[in-house]
Amino acid sequence: MVRVAILADTHGFTDPRVAALVAECDLAVHGGDIGSAAVLADLRPRTGRVVAVAGNNDLPHKWPEAERSLLAALPEVAEVPLPGGALLVTHGHRLPARGRHERLRRRFPRARAIVYGHSHRLAADLDALPWVLNPGAGGRARTYGGPSCMVLTASDRAWELQVRRFEPSARRR
């Protein structure tokens, strides 16, 4: 059994409650718009393993110069083998919003689940295989109701998904 923390759209800041949940998992998966290498370094799953893809805002001029080699190494798509199937990770920004879930399913039919970000909108489409999952925004930018993430528990027999949304943090004045 493997517990996978799924997050996206941190834009340079991970909500501490999301980071705490990552620490309880075996693996962290980031669906893009990371914002800096510090975000990935601060994700500390039990095994230390973090898989991340680049988003449309993960651009060299938006990252500190010293971190650009890490940015250049980020793939656009990642496949994560898990017990019971594969988790496919992409930011999703190259697909139009209308029909995005169907397009993702057609593009990656062999995946057990597909993670994407970009919209900052929390979505768990479990009505068909592969599942299509958007963890929402794990930072403070456009959280639409509060920072959010997901935890996927994968075993050979079953996959279970827990969706977590936290109360918005008080705004600084």
Side-chain angles (χ1 to χ4, degrees), residues 65-79:
E65 189 171 344
E67 299 177 355
R68 291 182 186 157
S69 61
L70 173 66
L71 173 62
L74 291 174
E76 193 166 304
V77 175
E79 185 173 329

Side-chain angles (χ1 to χ4, degrees), residues 5 8 15 22 26 34 41 63 71 73 84 111 117-118 121:
D15 186 282
V22 169
D26 303 303
I34 301 158
W63 277 50
L71 173 62
H118 188 58
R121 301 248 183 220

Side-chain angles (χ1 to χ4, degrees), residues 101-145:
H101 290 195
E102 293 76 20
R103 284 182 176 87
L104 285 167
R105 284 184 172 113
R106 281 194 304 271
R107 185 172 287 180
F108 306 110
R110 289 191 288 256
R112 173 86 180 253
I114 302 161
V115 171
Y116 76 100
H118 188 58
S119 71
H120 293 231
R121 301 248 183 220
L122 184 62
D125 181 351
L126 312 179
D127 293 336
L129 288 176
W131 292 350
V132 180
L133 311 173
N134 187 323
R140 58 180 155 222
R142 295 184 0 246
T143 63
Y144 299 106

Side-chain angles (χ1 to χ4, degrees), residues 5-170:
I6 301 170
L7 66 155
D9 294 300
T10 49
H11 292 274
F13 173 81
T14 304
D15 186 282
R17 297 165 292 183
V18 171
L21 200 103
V22 169
E24 298 173 2
C25 293
D26 303 303
L27 165 70
V29 170
H30 196 300
D33 279 359
I34 301 158
S36 71
V39 166
L40 296 179
D42 289 342
L43 297 177
R44 301 192 187 279
R46 291 188 288 240
T47 64
R49 185 168 175 226
V50 177
V51 174
V53 298
N56 62 304
N57 283 295
D58 291 319
L59 301 169
H61 72 274
K62 292 186 175 188
W63 277 50
E65 189 171 344
E67 299 177 355
R68 291 182 186 157
S69 61
L70 173 66
L71 173 62
L74 291 174
E76 193 166 304
V77 175
E79 185 173 329
V80 182
L82 295 171
L87 182 67
L88 194 292
V89 188
T90 184
H91 190 58
H93 62 284
R94 300 198 186 279
L95 298 171
R98 176 179 230 146
R100 183 177 285 143
H101 290 195
E102 293 76 20
R103 284 182 176 87
L104 285 167
R105 284 184 172 113
R106 281 194 304 271
R107 185 172 287 180
F108 306 110
R110 289 191 288 256
R112 173 86 180 253
I114 302 161
V115 171
Y116 76 100
H118 188 58
S119 71
H120 293 231
R121 301 248 183 220
L122 184 62
D125 181 351
L126 312 179
D127 293 336
L129 288 176
W131 292 350
V132 180
L133 311 173
N134 187 323
R140 58 180 155 222
R142 295 184 0 246
T143 63
Y144 299 106
S148 58
C149 62
M150 297 174 168
V151 175
L152 172 69
T153 303
S155 73
D156 287 328
R157 292 186 305 147
W159 281 23
E160 295 178 14
L161 185 70
Q162 178 187 24
V163 176
R164 295 292 307 267
R165 181 181 297 280
F166 299 97
E167 289 294 321
S169 296

